[in-house]
Amino acid sequence: MAWTTTKLTCHEIDLFEGQFEVPGGMAYNSYAVVGQKVCVMDSVDANFVQAWLGNIEAALGGKAPDFLVVQHMEMDHSAEKS
């Protein structure tokens, strides 16, 4: 079994949750656990769906995920579920 991660950074957001300053931008991390099945942990904000899908495809070598685990329902973790 192996795992991999993808990361996207948004420099247009200046406040996390509308209240915490993020001078370096906001990072969206997604993780994949790869074994007999492929599990992706979390997705990203809706503004980054296409980049995220490209990163997942590259990280998995084109292999399709079998599962998507959403840690919690805030939109920065769960916007893309297709």
Side-chain angles (χ1 to χ4, degrees), residues 3-7 28-32 55-56 59:
W3 67 275
T4 188
T5 183
T6 66
K7 180 178 180 180
Y28 298 99
N29 297 298
S30 187
Y31 304 89
N55 285 352
I56 291 293

Side-chain angles (χ1 to χ4, degrees), residues 57-68:
E57 183 176 357
L60 299 179
K63 189 173 182 180
D66 296 293
F67 306 99
L68 172 63

Side-chain angles (χ1 to χ4, degrees), residues 28-65:
Y28 298 99
N29 297 298
S30 187
Y31 304 89
V33 180
V34 181
Q36 289 180 328
K37 299 280 186 174
V38 175
C39 177
V40 173
M41 308 290 284
D42 285 331
S43 65
V44 295
D45 181 89
N47 294 317
F48 300 97
V49 169
Q50 293 306 314
W52 176 73
L53 289 172
N55 285 352
I56 291 293
E57 183 176 357
L60 299 179
K63 189 173 182 180

Side-chain angles (χ1 to χ4, degrees), residues 5-34:
T5 183
T6 66
K7 180 178 180 180
L8 296 169
T9 303
C10 173
H11 295 285
E12 296 173 13
I13 296 174
D14 59 348
L15 294 175
F16 174 69
E17 300 284 332
Q19 57 187 336
F20 303 107
E21 291 184 19
V22 285
M26 183 75 179
Y28 298 99
N29 297 298
S30 187
Y31 304 89
V33 180
V34 181

